[in-house]
Amino acid sequence: MQDAALHGAEVPSREVILDAAAALMARLGYAGTSISKISAASGSPASSIYWHFGNKDGIYLAVLRRARDNLVASLPGTPVGDTVGERLTGFLDGAGAAFERHPHDLRLLLDLGMLEQRAGAAAIAELGQYRLALRQWATDSLGHVFGLADRPAVAGELARFMLSVVGGTAIARWFDGPVTSLPVQQLRVALVALARHHGLPVDEDPR
């Protein structure tokens, strides 16, 4: 009880550990991140890390859950507007803003390289669920933008394409720094072109 009370008074240190672990795992992956590296990056002794999280799988789960919470809270809601162009503008502006606030969280949640056999089953299951949730959000949003209530397969294709661009941009940002932003205009052109490829009437000039 005394030990718990002592650590309970150090709650902020848990966030410091998570900050360090998230940065390392996003950059190095699960296998490349060790307790000793997290300890060095956070300035917290290994004993404190084990007390808070139990093991590396526990840290990974906590990092994913916090990334999920941060990202979900930032995602734009149902796009509004009378035209495809208006709805697409609102959707992409919201997605771009979410990317700028949480590029590391997107890197964690979207990178297929994080799905490693050495990560625990619970962590892999969590990551899979978050990826599915993001895909569902993108599918629903783009389905609304382009009026695809009766064509869910097309909405899903648009969502997968968009998330591949977002994930690649988030990874590139680790190498290039903050100068790398979500290519909103190019993404807009590509989504409009894909929609037209499927025969959708789009009141949007992609130029």
Side-chain angles (χ1 to χ4, degrees):
M1 181 67 69
Q2 183 178 359
D3 187 46
L6 174 62
H7 284 83
E10 300 172 355
V11 172
S13 69
R14 186 179 191 277
E15 294 303 308
V16 171
I17 294 169
L18 282 178
D19 287 342
L24 288 168
M25 288 177 172
R27 181 163 52 90
L28 304 176
Y30 175 88
T33 301
S34 65
I35 296 293
S36 62
K37 288 178 180 177
I38 296 172
S39 175
S42 66
S44 301
S47 60
S48 178
I49 297 173
Y50 284 116
W51 189 91
H52 281 295
F53 303 101
N55 53 33
K56 192 166 80 168
D57 273 2
I59 299 173
Y60 189 32
L61 277 170
V63 164
L64 288 177
R65 286 170 179 158
R66 190 178 70 161
R68 183 273 311 270
D69 291 343
N70 289 342
L71 187 57
V72 168
S74 295
L75 293 176
T78 302
V80 297
D82 296 327
T83 66
V84 169
E86 290 173 352
R87 294 192 295 271
L88 186 57
T89 294
F91 171 70
L92 290 175
D93 285 350
F99 178 88
E100 289 302 320
R101 284 193 292 270
H102 304 291
H104 299 172
D105 295 338
L106 281 163
R107 167 69 171 82
L108 284 165
L109 296 170
L110 290 169
D111 180 21
L112 285 171
M114 296 296 290
L115 291 171
E116 303 177 53
Q117 291 299 318
R118 282 166 287 186
I124 291 176
E126 290 275 352
L127 186 54
Q129 289 301 311
Y130 300 157
R131 288 173 59 82
L132 287 174
L134 285 176
R135 184 177 296 175
Q136 189 63 57
W137 162 77
T139 299
D140 291 344
S141 296
L142 289 169
H144 179 75
V145 165
F146 291 102
L148 294 168
D150 59 343
R151 301 183 68 180
V154 176
E157 179 184 330
L158 295 175
R160 287 190 296 274
F161 170 75
M162 179 193 165
L163 291 180
S164 69
V165 173
V166 173
T169 305
I171 295 168
R173 187 162 179 150
W174 270 108
F175 296 96
D176 302 331
V179 295
T180 302
S181 298
L182 188 66
V184 171
Q185 185 55 38
Q186 293 90 335
L187 186 54
R188 182 192 196 99
V189 171
L191 288 171
V192 168
L194 282 172
R196 286 177 170 157
H197 171 74
H198 286 285
L200 300 174
V202 180
D203 54 345
E204 163 74 10
D205 184 352
R207 289 176 298 175

